[in-house]
Amino acid sequence: MSSKKVKLAWDELVMSEKERQAMTEYLAFLSEGKTERKSWQLLERWAQKADFVALDGVKGFKPGQKVRLAVRGKAGIIAISGTRPLNEGFRLIAAHLDAPRLDIKQRPLYEEEGLAFLKTHYYGGIKKYQWTALPLALHGVVILRDGHKVEIVVGEADEDPVFTITDLLPHLAKDQYDKKLPEAITGEGLNLLLGHDPCNEDGEERVKLAILHFLKDKYGIEEDDFVSAELEVVPAGRARYAGLDRSFIVGYGQDDRVCSFAAWKAIEEIEQPEWTTIVLFADKEEIGSDSNTGMKARYLENFIAELISMQNGTYDGLMVRRALSRGKALSADVAAGYDPNYAEVMDKRNSAFLGRGVVISKYTGSRGKSGSSDANPEFIAEVRRIFDEAKVSWQTAELGKVDQGGGGTIAQYMAIYGMEVLDCGVGILSMHAPWEISSVADLIMMMRGYRAFLADKD
Ligand code: MN
Ligand code: MN
């Protein structure tokens, strides 16, 4: 850059009334969509309102037809039929809805010295010490033996109690201080404090008994029902603006609900695209994209097969393969925002700076790009052109210094079909912490960039 003033996304940013409103919606999305199930529920509700019809209720896939597919209530796909036939290709943005958290174990409840706890097993890459001594909420479902689903949310309403995981007082932390950071708080030490009122129960474990009675009365669940439950411990409280100038958003789960939200906003605006336009919300990205709701499960392929069958009147495997291999996709996930407090782990010339717009990453991975989907420069050039034409501020970045660590996301599971894929998201500070920070300017630029990509005609 030749001028001394660095060009920022803020300089180009004149927010429309719609975009201002989108920020309010984003705060609500983060506050209410604390789990993959909850965030998919919100997205599905919005999609339904915007005339995306459930796949099994769709008769044909004519241009302009809007379709949605739920994947086990935790992931999903929405699409709008383009004017071109699907076998010529499509535009896809794929983000993920799951976020690092603490899951409740299947045999979680115990009492010790008059205190009841739930045992947890952490999900995704967390720094364990960050999860002690802060207010936590419990979200999830318990499926009873007869299939009945009990939904549980405790810790979000003002009148709700919250939970916490205790930490050791500094006065007695001499040995703890000597440990390495990852060992100072252990995985088995992350036990959720649940209660200590024995409520006039009798016997040895009176508090545990009292908790079980409470669970039976309030939710109709018994101790064995934890076996068929998915309960998630997440930070309690709402997302909100941060900074004196309200230029940041602080909220749980912005990796990757910030990209999920932007992708939804992008497709919401589109009426009749040239290319069939698809937005996918995956689950299980944070633990390697396995399970039948993760990106390695073939729901995208099956979805395309369904659409091709509707468009052609019959299933044609070759057409499905052609559609998949001619597709163009943005793998929508967050980047590591440059943090001056930890400058030593970043290559300043190849970092994602907050306030400099949407981020593209040619590759992720670790060490010698291992585990990365290395995007083709031909495709990167196309995305550059689209962003420039739409006046979207953008930057390019790697995760951090070479050999400092690394990570990967879902791009590779799209690349296997032969489609063009590029990683594209925004920089986040305190990524994977209970409260993550994003930039308002970057989010707006991401929404604009995603929309321009989906609406592109070339
Ligand atoms: Mn992510
Ligand atoms: Mn992540």
Side-chain angles (χ1 to χ4, degrees):
M1 231 155 286
S2 53
S3 75
K4 41 193 185 313
K5 191 173 117 185
V6 175
K7 213 173 106 196
L8 296 177
W10 293 104
D11 302 325
E12 318 283 313
L13 193 77
V14 180
M15 265 163 83
S16 69
E17 196 41 52
K18 254 189 179 170
E19 286 170 335
R20 265 176 222 292
Q21 203 187 314
M23 296 311 297
T24 311
E25 282 172 48
Y26 178 53
L27 291 176
F29 180 64
L30 288 179
S31 302
E32 287 156 37
K34 288 277 185 86
T35 64
E36 61 281 21
R37 280 177 196 269
K38 286 280 178 55
S39 38
W40 168 251
Q41 246 172 41
L42 288 168
L43 288 162
E44 188 170 38
R45 198 184 309 151
W46 293 342
Q48 192 174 1
K49 255 195 182 160
D51 299 325
F52 288 86
V53 183
L55 182 67
D56 44 20
V58 179
K59 294 283 174 286
F61 198 54
K62 301 244 165 56
Q65 175 70 51
K66 296 176 170 182
V67 187
R68 65 174 207 271
L69 172 74
V71 180
R72 313 257 168 208
K74 302 194 238 181
I77 313 178
I78 58 178
I80 309 173
S81 179
T83 46
R84 289 179 193 245
L86 184 52
N87 62 285
E88 289 182 14
F90 51 79
R91 294 290 176 274
L92 163 68
I93 299 179
H96 68 92
L97 294 176
D98 60 317
R101 60 180 189 249
L102 308 178
D103 285 341
I104 298 296
K105 289 191 184 189
Q106 283 2 92
R107 289 272 179 218
L109 182 61
Y110 70 98
E111 172 181 344
E112 236 172 89
E113 304 305 333
L115 302 175
F117 296 92
L118 286 180
K119 293 206 67 67
T120 71
H121 194 137
Y122 65 94
Y123 173 99
I126 65 162
K127 292 166 96 176
K128 295 176 202 100
Y129 72 87
Q130 294 176 337
W131 290 76
T132 63
L134 82 164
L136 298 166
L138 188 64
H139 289 249
V141 296
V142 181
I143 313 297
L144 305 185
R145 217 188 305 258
D146 64 3
H148 180 74
K149 183 193 289 183
V150 181
E151 301 217 24
I152 293 178
V153 187
V154 187
E156 298 294 355
D158 283 344
E159 64 275 15
D160 275 3
V162 293
F163 306 95
T164 193
I165 290 167
T166 55
D167 197 356
L168 183 58
L169 63 168
H171 316 65
L172 297 176
K174 184 184 160 293
D175 292 348
Q176 189 190 39
Y177 283 146
D178 289 340
K179 290 179 182 166
K180 285 188 173 157
L181 198 56
E183 287 140 28
I185 303 286
T186 63
E188 285 296 345
L190 293 174
N191 300 313
L192 195 72
L193 191 59
L194 205 61
H196 81 305
D197 181 350
C199 298
N200 298 317
E201 299 282 354
D202 262 334
E204 251 178 55
E205 297 184 315
R206 299 166 62 207
V207 176
K208 178 177 168 181
L209 211 57
I211 294 274
L212 284 171
H213 274 147
F214 178 86
L215 290 173
K216 184 74 188 168
D217 291 345
K218 171 121 196 196
Y219 300 106
I221 61 177
E222 291 170 7
E223 188 170 12
D224 277 351
D225 294 327
F226 281 112
V227 169
S228 48
E230 253 177 18
L231 294 167
E232 305 178 7
V233 179
V234 299
R238 300 187 68 80
R240 53 204 301 182
Y241 284 106
L244 208 50
D245 55 3
R246 296 168 169 258
S247 56
F248 305 104
I249 281 172
V250 62
Y252 165 69
Q254 297 199 73
D255 171 8
D256 184 32
R257 294 182 191 131
V258 68
C259 299
S260 299
F261 180 79
W264 158 250
K265 278 300 179 196
I267 197 170
E268 189 195 24
E269 295 271 297
I270 289 169
E271 277 305 323
Q272 178 54 73
E274 176 116 356
W275 300 94
T276 291
T277 293
I278 307 170
V279 172
L280 183 151
F281 306 97
D283 180 28
K284 297 286 185 280
E285 191 277 343
E286 296 295 354
I287 59 168
S289 295
D290 293 301
S291 308
N292 66 359
T293 54
M295 199 62 196
K296 284 188 203 167
R298 305 237 164 119
Y299 45 88
L300 173 62
E301 185 180 327
N302 294 342
F303 183 72
I304 297 291
E306 296 278 3
L307 300 185
I308 287 279
S309 301
M310 280 196 284
Q311 214 163 57
N312 295 16
T314 172
Y315 173 75
D316 185 332
L318 183 59
M319 290 293 191
V320 175
R321 288 176 196 223
R322 280 183 182 159
L324 284 164
S325 65
R326 290 167 177 170
K328 290 179 180 174
L330 295 180
S331 175
D333 208 344
V334 295
Y338 182 89
D339 187 339
N341 287 318
Y342 302 97
E344 66 279 7
V345 301
M346 305 301 263
D347 166 13
K348 217 172 174 174
R349 292 179 180 82
N350 290 280
S351 292
F353 294 89
L354 263 69
R356 295 193 198 171
V358 63
V359 181
I360 56 173
S361 300
K362 186 175 185 296
Y363 47 82
T364 56
S366 40
R367 302 179 305 281
K369 299 191 180 182
S370 172
S372 98
S373 171
D374 205 349
N376 295 315
E378 290 84 351
F379 182 50
I380 301 177
E382 242 184 282
V383 175
R384 271 175 71 186
R385 174 192 56 76
I386 293 170
F387 286 175
D388 285 342
E389 282 174 7
K391 299 195 167 29
V392 171
S393 308
W394 63 271
Q395 52 184 327
T396 175
E398 297 197 9
L399 187 64
K401 270 188 180 162
V402 179
D403 285 341
Q404 183 66 43
T409 175
I410 56 177
Q412 52 187 310
Y413 309 116
M414 292 177 266
I416 52 169
Y417 295 109
M419 71 182 82
E420 296 280 23
V421 196
L422 176 62
D423 278 291
C424 179
V426 287
I428 294 279
L429 299 181
S430 299
M431 194 200 290
H432 282 206
W435 297 99
E436 298 174 315
I437 300 278
S438 66
S439 150
V440 169
D442 294 343
L443 170 52
I444 299 292
M445 286 302 172
M446 177 163 59
M447 291 180 344
R448 291 180 189 175
Y450 284 179
R451 188 169 64 230
F453 174 76
L454 292 179
D456 190 56
K457 291 187 190 315
D458 290 335

